[in-house]
Amino acid sequence: MTIIEVQNEIVEEFSMLSEWMDRYSLLIELGNELEGFHEEHRTDQNLIEGCQSRVWLYAREEGGKIYFEADSDAIIVKGIVALLIRVMNGRTPSELLESELFFIDKISLKEHLSPTRSNGLVAMVKQMKMFALAYKTKMENQ
Amino acid sequence: MSYSIESVRKDFPILSRSVNGRPLVYFDNGATSQTPIPVVEAMNRVYYEYNSNIHRGVHTLSNIGTEAFENVRKQVAGFINAAKVEEVIFTKGTTESINLLAYSFGESFLKAGDEIIISGMEHHSNIVPWHLLQKRKNIIIRVIPVLDDGSLDMEAYKALLSDKTKLLSITHVSNVLGTINPVKEMVELAHKYSVPVLIDGAQGIHHEEVDVQDLDCDFYVFSGHKMYGPTGTGVLYGKEKWLTEMEPWQGGGEMIKTVTLEKSTFNDIPYKFEAGTPDYVGVIGLGAAIDYINGIGLDAIREYERELYTYAFDRLSSISKLTIYGTAPHRGSLISFLLKDIHPFDAGTLLDKMGIAVRTGHHCAQPLMDRFSIPGTVRASFGLYNTKEEVDILIDGLAKVRQLFA
């Protein structure tokens, strides 16, 4: 599935939940279920410091695609992180760089990607694209 | 002594709005209190009827404005019982007041190796200005530890005082723990060593009775926007003997006596510390806020808030798996807590969905968070218009948060 298709899928899943409590319930569930973060990556270097909560993001490249591991100390943030990984994981650098994230807005979670929320998510999305740019440059120079 | 909560709430139009489809419950008064109609109207009147730069003009509007502005200085002096009106300096808030002092007091009275004392429960604005001074002047910062219940270690404080101590800078009421520090006693102890005392009254001024002569503090600073006044206003009270001796902080218009291209001589206090056009509109609003508080009566407000605080504390205490931070014998106005295993950001986000405004995070007091080994807290802080019904809504809201995490 393309980045757009995965986003549409998420929008559809959330569209069935009209109550905010159900949407946040799902986010909390996704946050609790997010696995795959290796403890050795919980370093200051991988830390994206928000004023309110913290996010750790680690990226690696394999076969021309980028894979992410991430964690947060706040579960709602972690739930959104889980969604971001679902959309962005296993993509080529070009796909990531060209991607436009519209699903957050469409599932009424836009407030969490506003810079004033200082939860680390805005910086995380930026950092994901930075990784993509760095790997892209690296691949082109090889 | 009591007041009609219904009629008071009508003075604050914002309280009748809804947030996320629910009636607003505003428990973030420790950060910014809401503004009553008379304060907004007082500022409107400046803009509509007599707006013009104060102090400098010979024309009528300027004179009306100057008189209104200087009347607020008298009002503030009365509110805190300053001995002299000139001891009241207008700033843009507590933070600016402390920065001004760190600069001016530091320049005039501190040298390398001198010690100042702060505490482990200070807001960043009573830490960082001293760090900056430490860089400039190589002073030493000593810290009074915080005990488990959130009170200050007074024995440690006594042991820190010495001939090397040149200033004690301490918060009146903790913005995280609600602890009301024994400032009068602390001033007495400091003065035995001839150590002047700065009290950060940002959380104290509107909840506690502040009589600077009775406290005998050398400086007392606070903000307008936490006492139902406009944002961008603040006060630095200082004893005349210090202010007169202190170097000015910022240079500009109004603060000078004479200027040649080679040198300036400075105006007398308070003007020496009020360079440039002050926020006279805001200050006039602050005057209206003091009128508003006096109109209800600070004693009545304190009594009402104390009852509300006790009710909230008892109800929060009864929730299992909820920890309150700050249980010192003397405390009030705000309560910090954590629900077990729930990050404050998550709790705050979900409460917001229910129309409840609380503050979450480290409250600009990271050293205190480190002291208790927590990432932050959820803080409910109360104002004169909050009600027990709103506390009940918070309690129900917390139950819902818990349910979502179950």
Side-chain angles (χ1 to χ4, degrees):
Chain A
M1 271 201 285
T2 65
I3 285 184
I4 291 176
E5 283 164 351
V6 177
Q7 291 191 82
N8 282 331
E9 191 181 70
I10 293 171
V11 171
E12 184 151 344
E13 284 164 20
F14 271 79
S15 72
M16 287 177 253
L17 310 169
S18 57
E19 293 291 317
W20 71 266
M21 272 187 83
D22 296 329
R23 284 200 302 275
Y24 277 83
S25 215
L26 177 56
L27 276 183
I28 290 167
E29 200 180 309
L30 292 170
N32 280 326
E33 285 170 356
L34 179 65
E35 287 173 346
F37 188 79
H38 291 91
E39 279 310 308
E40 69 258 30
H41 297 142
R42 199 182 301 281
T43 60
D44 284 349
Q45 209 195 337
N46 293 332
L47 176 65
I48 298 166
E49 191 85 44
C51 191
Q52 296 274 344
S53 60
R54 301 189 291 175
V55 173
W56 290 267
L57 178 67
Y58 172 77
R60 67 187 164 81
E61 180 262 336
E62 200 183 305
K65 289 178 177 171
I66 299 179
Y67 295 88
F68 295 101
E69 286 176 28
D71 195 11
S72 173
D73 52 355
I75 291 292
I76 291 171
V77 174
K78 203 171 161 185
I80 299 173
V81 164
L83 290 172
L84 282 168
I85 289 184
R86 186 168 145 199
V87 172
M88 308 285 259
N89 216 29
R91 307 284 175 189
T92 64
S94 298
E95 274 181 295
L96 289 176
L97 288 169
E98 284 155 22
S99 68
E100 261 191 62
L101 294 176
F102 57 83
F103 77 100
I104 304 260
D105 198 355
K106 286 208 172 164
I107 59 178
S108 308
L109 295 172
K110 194 182 173 187
E111 66 206 48
H112 294 294
L113 273 184
S114 117
T116 59
R117 278 274 157 159
S118 51
N119 52 19
L121 280 171
V122 177
M124 176 181 166
V125 172
K126 212 182 261 176
Q127 191 61 37
M128 285 175 136
K129 293 205 172 189
M130 287 295 287
F131 278 128
L133 189 63
Y135 282 120
K136 191 178 183 201
T137 315
K138 200 172 141 193
M139 287 175 197
E140 282 167 357
N141 289 339
Q142 271 168 2
Chain B
M1 267 185 307
S2 65
Y3 54 90
S4 157
I5 192 73
E6 291 81 18
S7 78
V8 160
R9 285 182 69 87
K10 284 196 189 105
D11 292 334
F12 296 83
I14 203 169
L15 296 179
S16 54
R17 69 161 285 173
S18 62
V19 166
N20 293 320
R22 307 289 183 90
L24 168 67
V25 172
Y26 189 75
F27 281 149
D28 195 17
N29 298 283
T32 284
S33 53
Q34 296 304 341
T35 320
I37 292 168
V39 171
V40 179
E41 280 180 348
M43 293 193 291
N44 279 347
R45 272 198 302 281
V46 182
Y47 282 122
Y48 295 152
E49 295 168 21
Y50 57 94
N51 183 30
S52 91
N53 210 324
I54 58 166
H55 289 141
R56 282 157 259 249
V58 293
H59 59 80
T60 304
L61 295 189
S62 177
N63 286 332
I64 298 172
T66 304
E67 200 180 326
F69 181 81
E70 290 303 327
N71 272 336
V72 178
R73 203 187 302 277
K74 286 181 202 152
Q75 253 185 303
V76 171
F79 193 63
I80 59 173
N81 194 30
K84 294 186 172 176
V85 175
E86 309 85 83
E87 294 176 326
V88 172
I89 292 158
F90 290 117
T91 65
K92 65 181 164 75
T94 305
T95 299
E96 186 174 70
S97 298
I98 298 177
N99 275 278
L100 187 162
L101 271 172
Y103 181 84
S104 296
F105 186 88
E107 282 307 303
S108 304
F109 302 115
L110 298 184
K111 56 179 193 313
D114 282 347
E115 297 183 2
I116 69 157
I117 300 176
I118 61 172
S119 86
M121 65 168 78
E122 298 308 314
H123 188 282
H124 292 167
S125 59
N126 194 23
I127 302 174
V128 184
W130 306 114
H131 284 165
L132 294 173
L133 181 63
Q134 186 178 36
K135 263 192 179 169
R136 285 200 307 274
K137 288 240 161 177
N138 227 353
I139 57 157
I140 295 159
I141 300 168
R142 303 272 183 213
V143 182
I144 310 167
V146 178
L147 300 172
D148 286 344
D149 70 351
S151 53
L152 287 177
D153 185 340
M154 288 295 282
E155 291 310 309
Y157 165 53
K158 286 173 199 164
L160 285 175
L161 282 166
S162 79
D163 295 335
K164 286 186 193 155
T165 315
K166 295 293 181 256
L167 183 74
L168 165 68
S169 188
I170 187 85
T171 191
H172 191 171
V173 178
S174 161
N175 73 312
V176 177
L177 306 165
T179 311
I180 303 167
N181 286 318
V183 281
K184 193 175 174 182
E185 185 190 341
M186 295 180 84
V187 171
E188 259 179 52
L189 287 162
H191 282 180
K192 281 187 186 158
Y193 290 84
S194 304
V195 172
V197 180
L198 157 60
I199 300 175
D200 171 356
Q203 301 293 340
I205 187 71
H206 51 304
H207 295 294
E208 293 304 299
E209 192 190 339
V210 174
D211 179 333
V212 290
Q213 291 189 74
D214 179 56
L215 289 173
D216 202 22
C217 58
D218 298 86
F219 305 100
Y220 195 98
V221 297
F222 57 92
S223 299
H225 70 278
K226 298 189 203 288
M227 54 182 290
Y228 315 107
T231 175
T233 57
V235 167
L236 159 61
Y237 156 82
K239 280 182 182 166
E240 186 186 23
K241 63 170 180 179
W242 295 111
L243 295 180
T244 311
E245 299 270 305
M246 271 164 41
E247 286 285 311
W249 177 41
Q250 294 180 323
E254 190 63 29
M255 54 78 71
I256 44 83
K257 255 192 189 124
T258 62
V259 178
T260 64
L261 287 174
E262 289 75 33
K263 89 182 242 250
S264 311
T265 59
F266 304 123
N267 206 337
D268 298 325
I269 61 164
Y271 308 112
K272 184 169 83 174
F273 295 105
E274 292 178 358
T277 299
D279 182 358
Y280 54 89
V281 178
V283 165
I284 289 164
L286 176 63
I290 292 175
D291 279 339
Y292 187 80
I293 291 171
N294 285 337
I296 298 174
L298 196 56
D299 285 341
I301 295 170
R302 278 173 63 197
E303 196 177 307
Y304 179 83
E305 286 184 348
R306 193 137 302 172
E307 193 182 320
L308 182 69
Y309 172 85
T310 307
Y311 179 75
F313 194 92
D314 289 348
R315 288 228 57 190
L316 284 166
S317 303
S318 70
I319 298 178
S320 65
K321 295 181 182 169
L322 182 145
T323 309
I324 292 178
Y325 293 87
T327 52
H330 297 287
R331 56 187 154 70
S333 81
L334 58 91
I335 304 172
S336 260
F337 58 89
L338 279 178
L339 288 165
K340 191 169 184 279
D341 301 328
I342 299 179
H343 194 281
F345 176 85
D346 292 328
T349 300
L350 297 172
L351 289 172
D352 176 56
K353 289 280 151 205
M354 299 177 237
I356 304 165
V358 291
R359 188 138 290 244
T360 62
H362 53 60
H363 314 293
C364 295
Q366 283 177 2
L368 192 61
M369 297 300 113
D370 294 343
R371 157 70 180 79
F372 287 100
S373 307
I374 48 177
T377 69
V378 180
R379 182 187 76 179
S381 52
F382 310 108
L384 59 86
Y385 37 65
N386 287 126
T387 64
K388 289 182 183 171
E389 290 72 35
E390 289 180 311
V391 171
D392 293 342
I393 293 171
L394 171 67
I395 302 294
D396 292 347
L398 290 169
K400 257 193 198 139
V401 171
R402 171 68 69 204
Q403 195 189 322
L404 274 160
F405 274 84

